[in-house]
Amino acid sequence: MKPIAAPIRTAVNDIIKQTTAAWDLDDEPIEDTTTLIADLGFSSVDLIHLMASIEMHFHRKFPYDEIIMKDGQYVDDITVLELMDFVSRNIDRPAPGPQAM
């Protein structure tokens, strides 16, 4: 895993904090090892909202199937660091969809 650029780290953390702002989380700090489902209580709808918020922030689409599925099975949880690493690895990836001819 390569180092994650500070703007990506900050943006992902801020988006998670905005998403969970109204939740009763007892002011738990959000760290790299924090899990979205077990620690923060994300539901599948919350994950979709989080992913859409990240796409809107960075003005691009991400191949989220790569982080939510492993070996054809849905993952049980995603850490904050895994999400930041995923965004970092895919930030410069060509957008999916039809290619110009």
Side-chain angles (χ1 to χ4, degrees), residues 13-26:
N13 269 322
D14 288 349
I15 294 166
I16 291 170
K17 287 177 185 174
Q18 290 168 6
T19 303
T20 61
W23 302 356
D24 185 21
L25 296 179
D26 298 327

Side-chain angles (χ1 to χ4, degrees), residues 1-100:
M1 181 182 308
K2 69 179 185 173
I4 299 164
I8 292 173
R9 179 176 284 281
T10 299
V12 171
N13 269 322
D14 288 349
I15 294 166
I16 291 170
K17 287 177 185 174
Q18 290 168 6
T19 303
T20 61
W23 302 356
D24 185 21
L25 296 179
D26 298 327
D27 294 324
E28 291 288 327
I30 296 175
E31 300 174 343
D32 287 355
T33 57
T34 301
T35 57
L36 299 177
I37 297 169
D39 293 333
L40 298 179
F42 272 71
S43 68
S44 57
V45 173
D46 297 324
L47 287 172
I48 291 168
H49 175 75
L50 176 66
M51 292 173 187
S53 297
I54 290 171
E55 287 183 343
M56 286 189 298
H57 176 84
F58 289 107
H59 304 287
R60 63 166 297 106
K61 296 280 185 196
F62 288 95
Y64 284 107
D65 58 311
E66 293 178 10
I67 192 170
I68 63 170
M69 296 198 69
K70 300 280 190 236
D71 300 322
Q73 301 291 319
Y74 285 103
V75 298
D76 293 328
D77 216 335
I78 300 168
T79 67
V80 171
L81 182 60
E82 288 171 330
L83 183 58
M84 285 188 263
D85 179 60
F86 169 79
V87 171
S88 180
R89 285 184 287 114
N90 289 284
I91 195 74
D92 295 322
R93 189 177 197 179
Q99 301 298 315

